[in-house]
Amino acid sequence: MTPEILAALERAKATKRPVVLGTRLPSGEQVLLPDPGQSAALNDAAAKMLQSDESGTVKIGDSDWFLHAHNPPLRLIVVGAVHIAQALAPFATPCGFAVTVVDPRRSFGSDERFPGVAISNDWPDEALDKFVPDSRTAVVTLTHDPKLDDPALDRALKSDAFYIGALGSRRTHAARLGRLKALGHTDEAMARIRGPVGLDLEAVTAPEIALSIIAELVAVRRGSSLGIRQPKS
Amino acid sequence: MNHADSEDILATAAGWRAAGELVAVATVTETWGSSPRPAGSRLAVTKSGKMAGSVSGGCIEGAVADAAMQTIETGTPQLLDFGISHERAWEVGLACGGKVKVFVEKLL
């Protein structure tokens, strides 16, 4: 790998630009894609890799190309700088998520309680308007406080977020759905909200609940059947 | 980030290179069957013996590190093929029964 290619990869990472490192096999000649100087077939194959977030070897013309997708990190927006968030944030990072914790209560959302984690002290609706959750973003609300959770869920439902989870018992969740309905959200749209949040592990402690949330995030991201919620009778 | 932690491994390798180490990076380019690490997984190796990341559950790491040392010396990339049909697979023991191709290149 040449210093030029390495520097270009590092620039793409710093600016969160999705790129594909194309390596011709077995010679090792490398290009960064998309690149208008390369064939449409190679650029198309690279775009597919980014879309599916996968890497692999493809045959283009007479050449084998290894196409290595370098997507920016997935994002996890956690609303509520609470105890469970303290367990969740350091766990989500190594799983590939860039984590932001949102809490307007500065005594909760402090650097001291969340060392090395990005914190926003904006109100959740304002924070989500800024972050613009996309199809690589997960939103999890943990405050139990409708004042904070509801505006975040309202914005999350209007976004392309691939995962929306809300902490709270079934009864809390039913009340929450009633309030969101009053804001104009349909039952069908609200089915996107995973409440109670996380895989059903019968989790009790904060780290256990964090584990259940991470487990469900991974299941949804990787397309596991565990990520599909079955209606409870 | 894509699968696993491949970019962090490249960042680690780049850091080693910037500090004056001689570095090779191995990347899984293709897998068949029950290979433990997906395409894109990286292993970085220095001439001084540092290692970061992985290209398998550990079964071919040694053979890949040997090849990386060669590539550090010669500067020539290699495409390694580990699989049940390959004599070397028995030697290094791909216990999972999978097949994997690994590209080894030097950081220039």
Side-chain angles (χ1 to χ4, degrees):
Chain A
M1 186 181 292
T2 63
E4 292 74 25
I5 289 279
L6 184 57
L9 267 176
E10 285 177 339
R11 271 199 305 279
K13 185 181 174 185
T15 56
K16 299 188 165 38
R17 191 163 49 89
V19 291
V20 169
L21 174 63
T23 304
R24 196 197 291 266
L25 299 175
S27 65
E29 166 202 344
Q30 286 174 324
V31 294
L32 217 56
L33 303 163
D35 175 353
Q38 297 295 327
S39 72
L42 189 58
N43 278 305
D44 287 352
K48 281 201 191 96
M49 291 292 179
L50 287 176
Q51 186 66 40
S52 61
D53 205 14
E54 282 177 345
S55 302
T57 302
V58 296
K59 202 167 188 73
I60 308 277
D62 292 333
S63 299
D64 283 328
W65 285 89
F66 173 57
L67 300 179
H68 195 165
H70 289 66
N71 266 315
L74 298 158
R75 292 189 299 170
L76 171 61
I77 301 171
V78 179
V79 177
V82 296
H83 187 197
I84 293 167
Q86 286 178 294
L88 181 59
F91 200 2
T93 308
C95 292
F97 289 88
V99 183
T100 304
V101 175
V102 179
D103 203 318
R105 303 167 296 183
R106 284 172 199 275
S107 56
F108 283 75
S110 68
D111 291 335
E112 204 171 51
R113 282 165 54 81
F114 291 89
V117 176
I119 307 253
S120 163
N121 290 128
D122 289 336
W123 276 87
D125 46 354
E126 289 165 10
L128 264 74
D129 284 345
K130 272 187 209 163
F131 295 140
V132 194
D134 59 13
S135 61
R136 292 177 55 78
T137 305
V139 179
V140 173
T141 63
L142 299 177
T143 71
H144 271 130
D145 181 343
K147 254 193 344 286
L148 295 168
D149 283 354
D150 287 6
L153 292 169
D154 172 56
R155 293 305 200 271
L157 285 171
K158 291 172 182 162
S159 79
D160 290 333
F162 78 91
Y163 181 100
I164 305 172
L167 185 73
S169 67
R170 280 175 213 292
R171 191 198 299 193
T172 307
H173 191 57
R176 173 187 294 137
L177 293 181
R179 293 191 305 272
L180 288 169
K181 200 165 193 172
L183 291 176
H185 295 287
T186 63
D187 289 338
E188 195 182 25
M190 291 188 300
R192 285 171 71 199
I193 304 176
R194 290 155 188 276
V197 68
L199 276 195
D200 188 359
L201 306 180
E202 301 288 349
V204 173
T205 65
E208 287 175 1
I209 294 166
L211 175 67
S212 78
I213 296 170
I214 289 286
E216 191 171 42
L217 278 171
V218 172
V220 171
R221 182 195 173 197
R222 300 297 189 193
S224 160
S225 58
L226 287 173
I228 301 165
R229 291 256 174 149
Q230 303 297 343
K232 287 249 172 170
S233 50
Chain B
M1 194 177 303
N2 59 336
H3 285 303
D5 41 12
S6 53
E7 282 179 81
D8 292 339
I9 301 308
L10 191 60
T12 302
W16 287 341
R17 183 74 197 94
E21 298 253 21
L22 296 173
V23 186
V25 175
T27 310
V28 175
T29 63
E30 251 181 299
T31 65
W32 298 263
S34 58
S35 313
R37 303 279 285 140
S41 304
R42 282 183 171 125
L43 170 72
V45 180
T46 69
K47 194 180 180 190
S48 63
K50 293 194 181 94
M51 278 173 73
S54 68
V55 288
S56 75
C59 40
I60 60 169
E61 252 66 15
V64 172
D66 287 348
M69 289 300 171
Q70 277 174 23
T71 288
I72 287 172
E73 289 298 329
T74 63
T76 311
Q78 301 180 59
L79 186 59
L80 310 173
D81 195 343
F82 297 98
I84 215 75
S85 61
H86 196 287
E87 210 171 86
R88 194 145 194 200
W90 296 108
E91 236 174 79
V92 298
L94 259 178
C96 49
K99 289 206 276 180
V100 42
K101 278 191 188 180
V102 178
F103 179 70
V104 184
E105 64 189 311
K106 185 176 181 178
L107 284 196
L108 301 174

